Amino acid sequence: NAGVMQNPRHLVRRRGQEARLRCSPMKGHSHVYWYRQLPEEGLKFMVYLQKENIIDESGMPKERFSAEFPKEGPSILRIQQVVRGDSAAYFCASSPPSTVGYEQYFGPGTRLTVT
Amino acid sequence: DQQVKQNSPSLSVQEGRISILNCDYTNSMFDYFLWYKKYPAEGPTFLISISSIKDKNEDGRFTVFLNKSAKHLSLHIVPSQPGDSAVYFCAAPGPNSGGSNYKLTFGKGTLLTVNP
């Protein structure tokens, strides 16, 4: 049973370019979460999605960031016109429809470097 | 505003001894807590959890204790092994005024080093 998959693992972008991060949840999981980890910090919630629905994007910066989880295919976190401050590790997590235990299963992360 | 705090950035212990990692929280609405372990260049891995209706949960070498009155929890690892060397994060679902605890609030983590 494959775990949460993220790609690419490393992404380098110049300032002003777009970054697209992909996440495939675990089989049977319909809830996807994106978190960002800045250096020396804990993980910070960004957005929670179910298939074709954004449930909570309260942690997303108001501009340049968007997320989707289409009916088919992976979840995408998109960052437009990247700036140096976007350099961070971005983690995707998934959970099954029943979240009684609250556990979320994390992917290996995408490390974004903006030059 | 850090609602989950891990005040010790690092901890070093000898192999075979006990490791105690601490976590404090400020929001009394938190009613469930999780510990995650993270190796470099990997995602966090769920380790153990505890509900607020309990004060202790044990799983093998790992035990989590919860003191609700002090808003404090701790993770005990005994005996510690070199493979336990990692960053440990304390996390709590929520807070969310909507009543659905689907997002995790994390502490900053504690780097545990277990020396052979």
Side-chain angles (χ1 to χ4, degrees), chain A residues 7-101:
Chain A
N7 68 82
R9 294 291 306 273
H10 300 274
L11 182 61
V12 180
R13 284 287 179 266
R14 291 198 182 96
R15 278 180 296 170
Q17 290 185 319
E18 179 179 288
R20 282 192 177 222
L21 289 63
R22 294 174 186 76
C23 168
S24 296
M26 284 179 71
K27 188 176 180 181
H29 287 192
S30 56
H31 298 198
V32 166
Y33 316 81
W34 286 93
Y35 292 83
R36 176 166 66 174
Q37 184 183 23
L38 296 169
E40 311 299 325
E41 296 287 325
L43 282 74
K44 295 281 198 295
F45 169 81
M46 300 181 74
V47 62
Y48 161 47
L49 310 104
Q50 296 178 16
K51 285 283 187 183
E52 300 184 280
N53 278 304
I54 297 174
I55 307 301
D56 181 356
E57 55 183 349
S58 60
M60 289 272 271
K62 294 287 183 280
E63 297 177 350
R64 302 186 297 107
F65 285 72
S66 62
E68 62 176 5
F69 188 16
K71 187 177 180 181
E72 301 291 337
S75 175
I76 306 283
L77 179 66
R78 183 182 177 204
I79 311 172
Q80 294 178 292
Q81 299 175 313
V82 296
V83 300
R84 288 228 171 98
D86 296 332
S87 295
Y90 292 82
F91 292 97
C92 169
S94 71
S95 66
S98 169
T99 56
V100 172

Side-chain angles (χ1 to χ4, degrees), chain A residues 9 33 35 37 40-45 48 55-56 58-59 91 99-109 111, chain B residues 2 31-32 34 36 38-46 49 89 93 96 100-109:
Chain A
R9 294 291 306 273
Y33 316 81
Y35 292 83
Q37 184 183 23
E40 311 299 325
E41 296 287 325
L43 282 74
K44 295 281 198 295
F45 169 81
Y48 161 47
I55 307 301
D56 181 356
S58 60
F91 292 97
T99 56
V100 172
Y102 301 113
E103 291 102 49
Q104 296 175 13
Y105 299 86
F106 284 82
R111 274 138 194 91
Chain B
Q2 262 217 296
D31 61 3
Y32 197 90
L34 306 93
Y36 279 84
K38 184 181 180 304
Y39 293 118
E42 294 185 12
T45 303
F46 169 72
S49 61
F89 291 100
N96 178 37
S100 177
N101 294 329
Y102 44 74
K103 58 186 179 185
L104 296 178
T105 298
F106 283 84
K108 288 189 176 184

